[in-house]
Every structure is written in C-alpha cells, then in structure tokens.
Amino acid sequence: MADNKTDEEIIISYKNGDREAFKSLINRYATPLYNFVIRMTNRNDAPDIVQEIFIKVWKNIEHFNPLKAGFKTWIFTIARNATIDFLRKKKSLLFSDMPVRRGREKDNDEDINYFTENIPSEDLLPDEALQKLQDKKILNDILKKLSQSYREVLVLHYQEEMTFEEIGKILDKPLNTVKSQHRRAILELRKMLE
C-alpha cells in the first residue's frame, strides 16, 4: 500500500506507469497544502490554489530530484510560489480597470480531477470539535495580522513540522534569516496577545 511507501518510492511507481501513485501523493499532501494555503490567503481561494499546485507538481514531477531536496520541501516550495503568484495576480486585478474573468481551463487528466473530489470538507463538525474550530479561527485571525514572511515561517515550522533548514530551502533564505524571522514572529505574536 502507498501509505507505507516514502514519497520517493511513490514517485518512482508513478514514473513507472502506476497512475494510482499520483493519487497517493494527492491523498498525502492535500490537507497539509490546503492548511498552508488557507493561512496565506483565505477559504474561498485555497481550493483553486491547491489544485493549481497539484497541476504544477504533475507537470513537473519528472524534474523532481531527491538529491536536491526532499519531496515535502519541493512541493511546499511549489505551494509557496503558486500562492505568491495567485496573490500577485489578484492584486493586479484589483488595480486594473479590466473586468475580472472567472473560469479556468479544464484539465482532463484524471489525476488532477481526483484532487477536486478530495478537498478537505468545510462542513461544520460535531459539538466536541466546535471549540477547535473557534480556536482555529482565532489563530487564523492573528496569523493574518502578521507579515507574510513571518506567517510562512510559523505555519511551516509549527503546522507542517519542518526544520528551519527545510524552511530555508522553501523560502530560498539563509538559515539564520529563517531563525531570525521565527524569533521576530514569536515576539510579534506575544505583543498581539498582550
């Protein structure tokens, strides 16, 4: 079963013709990527951005090199770049006089369409989880007040449990810069909570 395989083993299976292998990667990373993107943007835009991330992964998986970085680092680098691209496009649309067009190109590949069926549910949870939802909302509201660079470091470190070295690779920043941003982000959070 794919759950027991490493990311690299799943990718080798996919490259060797196992079409189900890409679905395993989607199952493994859909929720973490969704959670990362939603903290950088919002609940409405996150599904579209995550779908775009998986399209980019699917198109570029042949170029993945495990000697350069682990798959998790690679996919979160793609996620960060896709999120930044989305925010830039959204910002430019807000300042342009051109009408905003809605819609997207359709991709007939079943691997990508499979993702849309597996976006984490946004339905309300039972009563015992209601407090968790309220806590998440408070946390998201606080995170939104931080600069993007601070938010990225905190989300990747605490939510995705990445090391500062991995975060540095994703953000393309030196290790000491990442540690410094982490420290400043924590200080900023403390000020907000006082």
Side-chain angles (χ1 to χ4, degrees), residues 88-105:
R88 284 181 184 150
K89 287 177 190 172
K90 189 172 183 175
K91 184 178 179 181
S92 69
L93 286 175
L94 288 174
F95 292 107
S96 78
D97 294 330
M98 297 171 46
V100 177
R101 292 186 188 187
R102 300 277 182 216
R104 59 172 57 229
E105 294 178 23

Side-chain angles (χ1 to χ4, degrees), residues 4-38:
N4 299 337
K5 291 183 177 182
T6 66
D7 295 335
E8 288 74 16
E9 290 170 335
I10 294 171
I11 292 167
I12 290 169
S13 295
Y14 177 74
K15 289 180 178 181
N16 288 333
D18 179 5
R19 307 314 286 173
E20 295 295 312
F22 195 81
K23 292 178 185 178
S24 297
L25 290 173
I26 292 172
N27 288 336
R28 187 172 285 180
Y29 284 99
T31 300
L33 289 172
Y34 180 81
N35 290 335
F36 172 73
V37 171
I38 201 169

Side-chain angles (χ1 to χ4, degrees), residues 54-67:
F54 279 112
I55 290 170
K56 289 180 179 189
V57 169
W58 174 69
K59 288 180 178 179
N60 293 293
I61 202 159
E62 293 295 327
H63 303 294
F64 169 68
N65 182 350
L67 300 176

Side-chain angles (χ1 to χ4, degrees), residues 36-74:
F36 172 73
V37 171
I38 201 169
R39 285 189 167 83
M40 297 298 124
T41 60
N42 62 58
R43 193 172 295 279
N44 294 329
D45 296 328
D48 290 337
I49 297 169
V50 174
Q51 184 168 355
E52 182 64 28
I53 292 165
F54 279 112
I55 290 170
K56 289 180 179 189
V57 169
W58 174 69
K59 288 180 178 179
N60 293 293
I61 202 159
E62 293 295 327
H63 303 294
F64 169 68
N65 182 350
L67 300 176
K68 289 186 177 179
F71 182 75
K72 185 175 183 180
T73 301
W74 187 74

Side-chain angles (χ1 to χ4, degrees), residues 75-93:
I75 197 169
F76 272 90
T77 300
I78 292 172
R80 177 183 183 263
N81 292 338
T83 303
I84 289 170
D85 289 346
F86 174 84
L87 292 172
R88 284 181 184 150
K89 287 177 190 172
K90 189 172 183 175
K91 184 178 179 181
S92 69
L93 286 175

